[in-house]
Structure formats: structure tokens, C-alpha cells
Amino acid sequence: YAMLLSLIFLIVLVAAVVGFVFRHEIKTNFESNLNLALRDYNVTADRHSEAVDTIQRTLHCCGVQNYSDWEKTEYFTQRGIPRSCCKSQDDCSEKDLKDPNKAKLKVFVDGCFFLVTSTMESKMSVVAGISFGIACFQLVGIILACCLSQYITNNQYEMV
């Protein structure tokens, strides 16, 4: 049992170190995937489009760096900026969303990449604290399992 807990502890420790070391690559990968999701965005209910809409609605952002990122997409030429960027759903018409100058007043102008990464970084202290707490419980479990094993081994020889 102690060896199994030690193995799990080491896996979690390695995952944390790898996540910390490669955090810049993770950000770059996220940014490129977000750009791809914008490029391939469409009205049909695919996962990527739904994810983009959810991020934009939840974080009150639009595009990757800013709302003008949508101007480079095929979706923009057909329908303009998506409705998930609108500050108020009642005050956003398709005509306004097709004109970047009018849209600037009706949509969120901040990009989602910065908001997502800053949100993740602000929550990292909570994640690190929880992980540290779990690691401490695992270490206590490893120590107690070793003590129990030692106790059982010592008592077997005394009973004979």
C-alpha cells in the first residue's frame, strides 16, 4: 500500500513539475487552438464553436486578442461577429455585428486569451494549495503504512 501511494505521489509530483516547466508552451498551444477555433467557427453545434461561445459569454470577451480577430474569419464575411460577443443580446443586430465600427460599441472589446490565462493564473494558488494538502495526506498515509508494515513484521516473529 505504501509503495502504491508513493507511486501516485511521484506521478502527481512529476505532473506538477512538468506543468510548471512547460506553462509557456501550454499558453502558446492554447492560443493557437483558440485561433483555429475562431477560424473554423460556424453556426452548427460543434464542440469548438460552443466552447468559443461559452468562453466569450462567461468571461465577457471577444476574439483571441480583441474583437477585431473576427474580421479575419469566414464567419465574419457571412454573419459578422458572433452574438456571444454582445454586451447586451437585445441591443445587438446582425447589421451592427457586420460593421466593425458599430460593433466596437456593442461587443466586448477585450480578447479572450489574456482573460483565460489570467483567470487560470489567479486560480493556480488555490490549485497549488489543494495539491499540497493532498500530497501531505499521501505522505502521512505512506508513513503510517510503513509503520503498520513494520509492526506486523515485528509481531509475526514474536508469536512463533
Side-chain angles (χ1 to χ4, degrees):
Y1 181 72
M3 291 180 70
L4 179 66
L5 275 179
S6 298
L7 180 67
I8 293 170
F9 177 77
L10 288 175
I11 290 171
V12 170
L13 184 66
V14 167
V17 169
V18 167
F20 180 75
V21 170
F22 293 110
R23 68 185 182 279
H24 298 294
E25 286 82 2
I26 292 169
K27 280 184 180 181
T28 304
N29 193 12
F30 175 71
E31 184 177 17
S32 65
N33 284 333
L34 192 55
N35 277 318
L36 283 173
L38 255 66
R39 189 192 70 195
D40 297 337
Y41 183 88
N42 58 22
V43 180
T44 60
D46 68 328
R47 294 181 335 214
H48 301 290
S49 299
E50 288 178 20
V52 170
D53 285 337
T54 302
I55 289 171
Q56 291 182 152
R57 273 192 211 102
T58 306
L59 296 178
H60 304 291
C61 60
C62 190
V64 179
Q65 299 302 328
N66 58 38
Y67 76 100
S68 64
D69 292 336
W70 283 104
E71 294 175 38
K72 304 169 197 145
T73 64
E74 186 178 323
Y75 181 83
F76 181 80
T77 57
Q78 296 170 357
R79 297 198 172 173
I81 297 173
R83 293 189 67 79
S84 59
C85 284
C86 292
K87 292 177 185 176
S88 171
Q89 295 296 320
D90 302 332
D91 191 30
C92 255
S93 68
E94 192 171 323
K95 183 181 175 185
D96 292 338
L97 294 174
K98 285 185 176 182
D99 181 8
N101 295 324
K102 289 181 183 176
K104 183 177 183 176
L105 304 171
K106 308 253 179 183
V107 299
F108 303 113
V109 292
D110 296 328
C112 293
F113 175 71
F114 175 73
L115 288 173
V116 168
T117 55
S118 63
T119 302
M120 285 173 40
E121 287 172 358
S122 70
K123 305 295 183 200
M124 287 305 265
S125 59
V126 173
V127 172
I130 292 171
S131 299
F132 181 72
I134 291 171
C136 287
F137 278 116
Q138 283 181 322
L139 287 175
V140 168
I142 292 168
I143 292 169
L144 290 176
C146 289
C147 290
L148 181 62
S149 173
Q150 186 69 30
Y151 179 76
I152 290 171
T153 304
N154 287 342
N155 280 344
Q156 275 185 340
Y157 292 116
E158 290 177 11
M159 284 191 283
V160 176

